[in-house]
Amino acid sequence: MKGVLFNVIEDVVTEALSADAWDDVVDSSGVTGAYTSLGNYPDGDLTRIVIATAAAAGLSEDATVRLSGRAGFKHLMRRAPHLLEGLDDWKAVLTSLDSIIHPEVLKIYPDADVPRFEIVADGDALIVTYTSKRDLCVLADGLMLGCGDSFGVELSVEHLTCTNKGGASCTMRVAEDG
Ligand code: HEM
């Protein structure tokens, strides 16, 4: 996993809890905490950090990952603001993930291993199929909620099928709330 994602989680923990809380998370999870944005680090570090952060915040692991994505979206965008240029709403962002956003990410981080997103319209909603060996659909869920926030829109994400629950794929229905 690219260091930039660990940098974003550090931003979120520091903002939501404190800088000391991040130091405590690093200490208690037994990771080095020295993440450079371009470096690659074990996926297991993310799991350990999530477990320690969940304990510190009093949240479940899923809620911690989802919140990290939701609150992390703006921190991720801060690092590459040009990626959203010309994308005027959340649907444009999601439908550009595979064609523009993650391909651009691969230019910045050539050895990144980005997930795949297939998007199909369903009335006013989008059906999003997420594919990755990392099974981080909950992180994708949170990033999509954060994407909605960045356009001032409250989204709902319903998990229809999930590889973490024995499904053959991860599909989510994403729609504007209310
Ligand atoms: C709503 C928008 C986005 C969603 C739903 C999304 C989703 C994800 C997810 C779930 C991962 C975790 C890895 C995996 O699942 O295999 C990931 C990885 C990544 N994404 Fe995105 N992403 C979004 C936008 C962006 C943007 C705007 C950037 C630009 C900075 C970005 C950069 C990355 C990077 C660098 C990785 C790490 C890949 C690696 O570790 O090798 N993503 N993305």
Side-chain angles (χ1 to χ4, degrees):
M1 181 79 78
K2 278 280 149 204
V4 64
L5 285 194
F6 291 95
N7 298 153
V8 165
I9 292 174
E10 177 178 350
D11 288 345
V12 171
V13 172
T14 302
E15 184 180 63
L17 300 171
S18 64
D20 283 350
W22 173 253
D23 291 341
D24 291 345
V25 162
V26 166
D27 285 348
S28 64
S29 54
V31 300
T32 69
Y35 299 112
T36 63
S37 63
L38 290 169
N40 274 314
Y41 302 92
D43 290 354
D45 276 21
L46 181 69
T47 311
R48 293 188 195 193
I49 287 171
V50 166
I51 291 170
T53 305
L59 294 170
S60 70
E61 288 167 30
D62 269 5
T64 302
V65 173
R66 186 176 287 107
L67 260 178
S68 299
R70 184 168 196 166
F73 185 81
K74 64 176 186 293
H75 295 293
L76 195 54
M77 290 321 306
R78 196 161 40 77
R79 292 177 158 80
H82 66 286
L83 290 187
L84 286 199
E85 268 168 26
L87 301 173
D88 294 333
D89 59 24
W90 63 272
K91 284 187 181 175
V93 174
L94 298 196
T95 47
S96 301
L97 269 173
D98 263 21
S99 55
I100 300 173
I101 297 177
H102 278 152
E104 284 296 320
V105 165
L106 286 169
K107 291 185 191 165
I108 311 172
Y109 308 102
D111 57 350
D113 183 6
V114 295
R116 281 186 293 124
F117 289 91
E118 192 190 304
I119 315 284
V120 178
D122 175 28
D124 287 340
L126 295 181
I127 304 293
V128 175
T129 302
Y130 159 86
T131 310
S132 163
K133 65 173 193 297
R134 296 194 175 109
D135 293 327
L136 282 172
C137 59
V138 178
L139 181 64
D141 169 340
L143 285 164
M144 293 191 286
L145 293 175
C147 172
D149 293 338
S150 73
F151 290 103
V153 174
E154 181 75 22
L155 296 178
S156 69
V157 179
E158 183 191 354
H159 291 249
L160 305 174
T161 63
C162 183
T163 52
N164 292 321
K165 296 191 176 120
S169 64
C170 262
T171 52
M172 294 167 270
R173 185 176 185 279
V174 186
E176 291 191 24
D177 236 5

